[in-house]
Amino acid sequence: AYRLTNIITASRNVVIQLIVTILTTFWLGSIVFNSLIILGLFKPMPAMFMAILFYAAFHCQSNAKRTNVHFLKRLVKIAYLVFRNRNHTQIAKIVTSIFLIQTFVLVTRSLLLPMITWDSLTYHTLKANLWVQNGCHYTIESPGLWQSYKTFFGAGESFTALSMIFTSHDILGSIPDSVIWILLGCASFSLFRELRLRSSSALCLSGAFLTTPAIMHVIGSGYVDNTVSAFLIGGCLFFIRLIKTRKVENIYLASMAYGLAGSIKVNGLATAIIMIALMVITAKAIRAITVRNILLSSAIFIGTFSPWLYFNYLTSGLILGATPVKAGPLIIGRMPPELVYFFSAPEITPYSFSNET
């Protein structure tokens, strides 16, 4: 992914390089997953073969002087300088120490504990496990809510499946959550900087954002909400950079980010479509892009989430599956009959243990 980063962007900003590297890692992961799962080859050896092909292709095209080791050394050096320069006072040292301890506990917890939250048990990790076990798209013909779950976009779960494919175990299943957490912090920091906040203020705000309970609680759970948020924020970041710098690389990166957000949840897709349209109109108005750039970025955007539309069509006959959406007379998604009955009968209430006492 870092080799592809060198091809896409010439930015020397190490935070931007890290964001692009993480973004391209997930984008390439989605290509690997969708290619193998459609062919029924989602197994360790085919996945390794595709990874080697990608590495060989991008290694030949990228600048050999900008190696992965050099990039990691720059990251460590800048992180050291940030923590040294921002810790002049006792309070700053205490806050930094608490943040580092919290980060260590968070990552350790996500590695040691299984992903046993409610939605993960019912469909997030269930989908990932079925893909790893069967090597292909696999769904359960089960009544009730699963008729809806089986047509939910699955890019978020695909990253979990990719992290488990070589071990056939969930010990590394939460690694994507931790990486997404880093992406959230870096993207929010860079976004604040693009909005002309001082680096110290941007660092404090992004740190506060990262440590909010709503975000911390999701890490290691298998939930995909942080993932959608990270990619949408990343898309906004490169949208702003496109307007400010007029460098065409930013429209491709924004299209990647918005495409990934749209491949995870339907509401992410709706937001991404609006943002892509706004970005193209704005960039074209200021003459920052050409028609060729628009076509290529559209291909990146649509190609990222379209495999899930295809899967839903095969599963339910509708590209949005169980999401009830109509465009005039055209039905794009329809709620299953079981759920229609459930929502039309208010006297049906969920089971509650307190009702037994």
Side-chain angles (χ1 to χ4, degrees):
Y2 180 62
R3 299 289 180 176
L4 180 57
T5 299
N6 289 338
I7 298 171
I8 295 175
T9 179
S11 174
R12 301 299 297 168
N13 185 319
V14 71
V15 180
I16 294 296
Q17 284 189 341
L18 179 60
I19 293 170
V20 177
T21 301
I22 295 175
L23 180 60
T24 52
T25 298
F26 282 94
W27 186 70
L28 290 174
S30 71
I31 293 176
V32 171
F33 175 84
N34 287 316
S35 301
L36 296 179
I37 205 76
I38 290 174
L39 297 173
L41 295 175
F42 190 63
K43 300 291 183 181
M45 288 308 295
M48 179 65 73
F49 180 70
M50 279 199 72
I52 292 173
L53 283 180
F54 277 137
Y55 179 81
F58 296 136
H59 179 76
C60 294
Q61 296 294 325
S62 63
N63 187 346
K65 293 181 180 180
R66 296 169 68 180
T67 63
N68 299 13
V69 175
H70 174 68
F71 175 60
L72 291 174
K73 286 181 178 179
R74 288 187 65 208
L75 277 180
V76 172
K77 181 179 179 180
I78 289 177
Y80 169 74
L81 291 175
V82 167
F83 286 117
R84 187 188 68 179
N85 294 338
R86 301 302 174 196
N87 291 325
H88 296 305
T89 65
Q90 192 68 26
I91 294 178
K93 291 179 180 179
I94 293 173
V95 171
T96 301
S97 300
I98 292 174
F99 180 80
L100 291 175
I101 293 171
Q102 189 177 27
T103 302
F104 175 77
V105 171
L106 183 70
V107 175
T108 304
R109 184 197 68 181
S110 64
L111 287 173
L112 295 179
L113 297 181
M115 295 175 282
I116 54 174
T117 48
W118 176 254
D119 283 356
S120 293
L121 290 175
T122 51
Y123 69 96
H124 285 309
T125 54
L126 176 58
K127 283 186 174 183
N129 279 303
L130 289 173
W131 292 330
V132 172
Q133 290 171 7
N134 296 278
C136 60
H137 273 304
Y138 190 91
T139 185
I140 299 174
E141 292 304 324
S142 175
L145 286 175
W146 183 257
Q147 292 299 312
S148 177
Y149 294 153
K150 70 180 183 181
T151 61
F152 284 2
F153 290 178
E157 292 81 7
S158 72
F159 303 137
T160 304
L162 283 167
S163 67
M164 298 193 298
I165 189 172
F166 294 110
T167 61
S168 296
H169 196 280
D170 67 351
I171 188 171
L172 300 178
S174 59
I175 291 295
D177 282 5
S178 300
V179 177
I180 285 295
W181 188 63
I182 295 172
L183 177 60
L184 269 173
C186 293
S188 59
F189 171 79
S190 296
L191 188 60
F192 291 138
R193 291 289 292 145
E194 293 295 333
L195 297 175
R196 300 187 182 280
L197 269 70
R198 293 185 304 172
S199 58
S200 57
S201 300
L203 194 63
C204 290
L205 286 172
S206 57
F209 175 59
L210 279 182
T211 52
T212 53
I215 290 177
M216 299 286 285
H217 176 69
V218 175
I219 300 170
S221 67
Y223 280 33
V224 297
D225 304 270
N226 279 0
T227 311
V228 175
S229 301
F231 291 136
L232 288 176
I233 291 173
C236 292
L237 168 65
F238 292 111
F239 180 3
I240 293 174
R241 286 177 62 85
L242 171 65
I243 303 305
K244 292 179 66 175
T245 66
R246 303 196 179 191
K247 291 183 178 179
V248 73
E249 66 193 44
N250 291 296
I251 192 173
Y252 301 138
L253 292 168
S255 298
M256 268 188 207
Y258 287 135
L260 286 168
S263 66
I264 296 171
K265 296 184 91 173
V266 172
N267 56 359
L269 177 59
T271 305
I273 290 174
I274 294 171
M275 294 304 298
I276 279 284
L278 182 61
M279 178 175 66
V280 170
I281 292 171
T282 306
K284 188 62 178 173
I286 64 173
R287 298 181 181 180
I289 56 175
T290 63
V291 174
R292 182 173 175 271
N293 301 142
I294 295 174
L295 292 176
L296 183 53
S297 62
S298 298
I300 293 171
F301 174 62
I302 296 172
T304 305
F305 67 81
S306 58
W308 298 105
L309 302 181
Y310 174 70
F311 171 71
N312 280 350
Y313 179 76
L314 293 180
T315 303
S316 65
L318 300 166
I319 59 174
L320 290 185
T323 305
V325 176
K326 290 178 66 178
L330 181 64
I331 299 176
I332 304 175
R334 181 189 293 115
M335 192 178 295
E338 300 96 321
L339 295 184
V340 173
Y341 173 75
F342 176 78
F343 288 118
S344 65
E347 68 275 8
I348 301 177
T349 57
Y351 173 80
S352 174
F353 182 74
S354 61
N355 294 334
E356 301 291 337
T357 59

